[in-house]
Amino acid sequence: MPPSASQQTSQGSEAAVRRGNPFASGSDRPVIASVTPMIQEEAWVPESGMLQASVLAALIVLVFSLACWRLFPAGGILVTGLGCALSILGMFSSRVVAAGMCLLAHAALFVGCYLQVI
């Protein structure tokens, strides 16, 4: 009596499944020669891209804050709050003057939106 199709499939799939360490010698997969780990402290230095990008993001959010102040003041409170948070994060970058100006502009727009809602 020949084996059933399910038994043949299970035997064939077991042979195709590789078990063990994929990085062991004789492996089909190449081993990465060197890995450069990211050190957490490098992300928060003043010249890091993340802190400088927050200043740029605060400038972009400033345009949306102006639009919200004019068209939708209740939503402007949330948008200017986001802009204030981005500006505060940008104060730790090397672009302190731009971040400070954005923070003042967002604070003024926050007050303006708040006064329009009341």
Side-chain angles (χ1 to χ4, degrees):
M1 180 169 172
S4 67
S6 64
Q7 288 176 348
Q8 288 177 352
T9 308
S10 67
Q11 290 173 355
S13 65
E14 285 182 26
V17 175
R18 178 171 158 68
R19 299 190 187 275
N21 186 356
F23 301 107
S25 61
S27 173
D28 295 344
R29 299 180 184 175
V31 179
I32 298 173
S34 66
V35 177
T36 308
M38 181 181 155
I39 300 171
Q40 184 66 26
E41 290 81 26
E42 289 179 2
W44 297 104
V45 295
E47 289 79 26
S48 74
M50 184 170 42
L51 294 176
Q52 291 180 0
S54 67
V55 177
L56 180 64
L59 286 170
I60 293 170
V61 171
L62 189 61
V63 174
F64 292 104
S65 296
L66 284 168
C68 287
W69 173 65
R70 207 59 196 134
L71 302 172
F72 185 57
I77 292 172
L78 296 174
V79 174
T80 54
L82 171 67
C84 286
L86 288 169
S87 298
I88 290 170
L89 187 61
M91 294 292 278
F92 297 100
S93 73
S94 59
R95 300 178 180 174
V96 179
V97 175
M101 290 174 26
C102 283
L103 182 61
L104 291 175
H106 280 291
L109 284 170
F110 184 85
V111 170
C113 289
Y114 183 75
L115 290 176
Q116 279 190 350
V117 169
I118 293 179

